[in-house]
Amino acid sequence: MTNDYKKNSITLAGAVAMGTGVMIGAGIFALTGQIAELAGPLFPLSFVVGAIVTAFSAYTYIKMSNAFPSAGGIGMILKKAYGPTTVAAGASLLMALSMVINESLVARTFGTYTLKAFGGDPESVLVPVLGVGLIVFAYLVNVSGSRSVGLFSIVMAVLKVGGIALFGVSALWASGLSFEATGGDAGTTGFVASVALSILAFKGFTTITNSGAEVTDPHRNVGRAIVLSIAICVVVYLLVAFAVGSSLPLDRIVAAKDYALAEAAQPSLGQTGFYLTVALALVATASGLIASVFAVTRMLAMLTDMKMIPHSHFGMPGTIKDHTLVYTVVIAGFLTVFFDLSRIASLGAFFYLVMDMIIHFGVFRHLREEIGARGWVLLTAITLDAVVLAAFAAMKWQSDPLIVVIGIVGMALVFLFVRVFLARNPIRAGNHDHH
């Protein structure tokens, strides 16, 4: 292991800030409108159900991090569950990719809100240009070293959570607590499908698992940080969902789905509120992206260290971590340019849910006695993921079959790629077991 990362360098507050920072960066600005489109008037409830599914999911990660708080997080969990196999490496790569997909979601959201602020057209070609600009900025911040990332993310998280909660409370207050977004019927499938996107709004908690070894007193604090950050996000998301729903009717929310919060701020909080909300969106997306680039770069470096994914220097100088940073940025940039928000969100949901199910299944089959996990909780987590994934895929198959095909082909390619790599470079047993 490269010792670039300091043990005990992240406090409990820092870990919670990191989790909520990544979650609130993407979840709320990009996904509120997308969720409303699928769930109809019940969209605030979607966040609650999403949190419940996430809680079942988080159980596995908490139990695993309490038992083995290594910095590998998800890569280590998969390797412990499945050994150095195609399944473990493929699922780890899916996780890394779903984080990168999330980055492009955040970057595009940044572009959309920026244009909204300057009265530009949120459909224009400038969205990906601004998005890629932000990704490059996040890259530069990350290159400048990780000390800045820690303090910066605490300050940002406090600003974001406080600011968004304030947005929610004041918009609700201004609209006199009436819920406008009624009418329209989504049906059960639509509601269940919307939960797939709500789960994306919470998946930032996995960033905490990925930094396990750096958290102070990890056996206790990793689990606590996960629980706290999910709890904070549920409250914030509900506030925002009700605020958006109380200032806009459903069809307006759906029409403005890529910038729903800015749209909702105008009627209830006026022009100043609109600009403050946009400013908040820019701060939230920028800081969320910086934290996420840091996390995914680490994860890829770790997988490379564990010899689970191939690594090519492409003639670049520097360490593995420097290179995985470049890969992360290039892939995120590519997605930002070629996919729109709802497609990016769909891809992220597919990759993440499949990876999540693979993890629960692996822990259920091979590790549950060792870490003292209850079988029924793990099976419930798998079932909930499967139901949500099925509903989501069914809805997308009707509205945008291409993205379902891209998702399936993408996952198949990931596993095939890893399979070929591992067949050519078998991992010798025993060279990596460091407990």
Side-chain angles (χ1 to χ4, degrees):
M1 268 306 301
T2 40
N3 292 319
D4 300 352
Y5 302 110
K6 292 181 277 308
K7 269 192 164 5
N8 294 338
S9 59
I10 303 177
T11 57
L12 177 60
V16 173
M18 195 167 60
T20 47
V22 175
M23 289 195 238
I24 289 180
I28 198 71
F29 294 101
L31 297 171
T32 306
Q34 311 271 354
I35 289 169
E37 186 178 29
L38 290 171
L42 293 177
F43 76 94
L45 261 184
S46 179
F47 285 114
V48 178
V49 180
I52 294 169
V53 176
T54 304
F56 274 99
S57 179
Y59 176 82
T60 305
Y61 297 90
I62 292 171
K63 281 290 193 192
M64 283 301 288
S65 345
N66 289 350
F68 318 105
S70 82
I74 284 160
M76 290 303 266
I77 295 177
L78 283 157
K79 194 166 172 204
K80 280 200 160 59
Y82 292 102
T85 56
T86 303
V87 175
S92 304
L93 211 47
L94 280 188
M95 179 66 199
L97 282 171
S98 83
M99 289 160 85
V100 176
I101 291 168
N102 197 27
E103 283 161 17
S104 48
L105 179 74
V106 177
R108 261 199 104 96
T109 305
F110 172 83
T112 311
Y113 276 82
T114 309
L115 283 178
K116 198 70 191 132
F118 296 110
D121 172 21
E123 303 290 304
S124 91
V125 69
L126 282 174
V127 170
V129 173
L130 288 162
V132 172
L134 179 65
I135 291 173
V136 172
F137 173 70
Y139 167 74
L140 296 173
V141 172
N142 273 281
V143 172
S144 67
S146 78
R147 259 201 69 77
S148 53
V149 176
L151 182 66
F152 180 73
S153 72
I154 292 189
V155 175
M156 285 312 189
V158 171
L159 272 176
K160 276 196 287 202
V161 177
I164 293 171
L166 196 68
F167 161 83
V169 172
S170 40
L172 276 172
W173 184 254
S175 62
L177 300 175
S178 64
F179 194 66
E180 291 285 318
T182 49
D185 171 42
T188 321
T189 318
F191 181 76
V192 177
S194 76
V195 175
L197 296 178
S198 309
I199 291 171
L200 278 192
F202 289 107
K203 87 182 206 14
F205 82 83
T206 53
T207 343
I208 302 172
T209 8
N210 284 340
S211 313
E214 285 161 71
V215 177
T216 49
D217 188 7
H219 290 281
R220 287 171 56 208
N221 282 342
V222 171
R224 285 175 169 179
I226 290 174
V227 174
L228 282 168
S229 52
I230 292 173
I232 292 170
C233 284
V234 174
V235 175
V236 173
Y237 290 166
L238 278 177
L239 264 174
V240 169
F242 280 114
V244 170
S246 64
S247 61
L248 294 177
L250 195 65
D251 53 350
R252 287 274 302 283
I253 299 175
V254 174
K257 66 181 176 185
D258 291 355
Y259 45 91
L261 265 67
E263 195 75 2
Q266 226 152 351
S268 52
L269 307 174
Q271 205 54 33
T272 321
F274 167 76
Y275 282 116
L276 282 174
T277 307
V278 169
L280 191 61
L282 302 189
V283 168
T285 46
S287 61
L289 192 77
I290 289 165
S292 172
V293 167
F294 176 68
V296 76
T297 302
R298 285 219 31 199
M299 187 171 166
L300 288 170
M302 182 96 187
L303 291 173
T304 309
D305 270 348
M306 288 160 66
K307 309 263 191 295
M308 287 185 22
I309 55 172
H311 182 79
S312 162
H313 291 263
F314 291 119
M316 291 186 288
T319 63
I320 284 183
K321 201 175 105 211
D322 301 331
H323 304 163
T324 52
L325 185 55
V326 174
Y327 302 159
T328 304
V329 167
V330 169
I331 299 170
F334 173 82
L335 287 166
T336 307
V337 173
F338 290 103
F339 288 86
D340 68 2
L341 272 179
S342 63
R343 284 194 158 166
I344 294 172
S346 307
L347 259 189
F350 288 141
F351 279 31
Y352 177 71
L353 287 168
V354 169
M355 183 279 317
D356 203 44
M357 286 159 69
I358 293 174
I359 283 193
H360 299 315
F361 183 72
V363 172
F364 176 77
R365 274 209 36 197
H366 306 291
L367 294 167
R368 69 170 193 269
E369 274 79 25
E370 191 181 345
I371 62 170
R374 302 209 165 116
W376 68 268
V377 182
L378 301 174
L379 290 177
T380 307
I382 296 175
T383 310
L384 291 171
D385 277 351
V387 169
V388 169
L389 181 62
F392 186 66
M395 288 289 288
K396 283 290 160 188
W397 186 250
Q398 287 165 2
S399 63
D400 184 9
L402 180 64
I403 198 65
V404 183
V405 174
I406 292 175
I408 293 169
V409 170
M411 285 186 266
L413 284 175
V414 166
F415 282 103
L416 185 70
F417 169 73
V418 172
R419 177 80 206 250
V420 171
F421 168 72
L422 287 175
R424 291 188 170 175
N425 306 279
I427 302 175
R428 293 189 306 283
N431 67 348
H432 262 91
D433 284 342
H434 44 250
H435 284 314

